[in-house]
Amino acid sequence: MGRVGDAVKVRGLFIHGHQVKALAGEFPWVKALQVVVDRVGVRDTLTLLVEEEGASPEDLEALQKRASELFRLKVDYIETVASGGLEGAKPLEDLRKWD
């Protein structure tokens, strides 16, 4: 049947789409935000994709720190994307393969 809902289990904890939306709302310079879960080797990784407007490196660091606190998981990477790059994107994207 597949996954129902917008929660993803990462390293034993769930991340919900509403948490991602709430996080984006805390930072006025964030135009769009997506959390991408992937696997490198045997470890799950968490990446924030941010469409931003006028953010400094310190702002991005603050976003990464706040996301780690909110999700109670270390955010491994943060990447900025071009304007419109996250249009229509889901708040959570799980790229892990479950063979």
Side-chain angles (χ1 to χ4, degrees):
M1 174 181 256
R3 181 181 305 129
V4 177
D6 69 344
V8 174
K9 192 172 187 178
V10 183
R11 299 182 216 144
L13 296 171
F14 283 97
I15 299 176
H16 298 271
H18 67 86
Q19 290 176 299
V20 178
K21 292 174 186 173
L23 176 64
E26 291 183 28
F27 297 87
W29 47 267
V30 173
K31 294 172 61 179
L33 181 66
Q34 183 181 46
V35 174
V36 178
V37 181
D38 205 351
R39 181 168 287 132
V40 175
V42 296
R43 186 175 186 278
D44 292 338
T45 60
L46 216 57
T47 302
L48 294 180
L49 298 181
V50 184
E51 185 179 325
E52 51 84 17
E53 189 172 290
S56 69
E58 292 80 19
D59 291 335
L60 294 172
E61 189 176 305
L63 174 65
Q64 186 174 6
K65 182 176 186 252
R66 177 64 182 124
S68 293
E69 291 169 354
L70 181 65
F71 303 146
R72 298 183 324 192
L73 294 165
K74 179 183 179 284
V75 174
D76 300 295
Y77 309 102
I78 186 165
E79 299 175 12
T80 58
V81 297
S83 181
L86 293 177
E87 188 173 325
K90 299 182 290 185
L92 284 168
E93 185 71 34
D94 189 351
L95 301 178
R96 297 173 292 182
K97 302 289 185 229
W98 302 99
D99 298 328

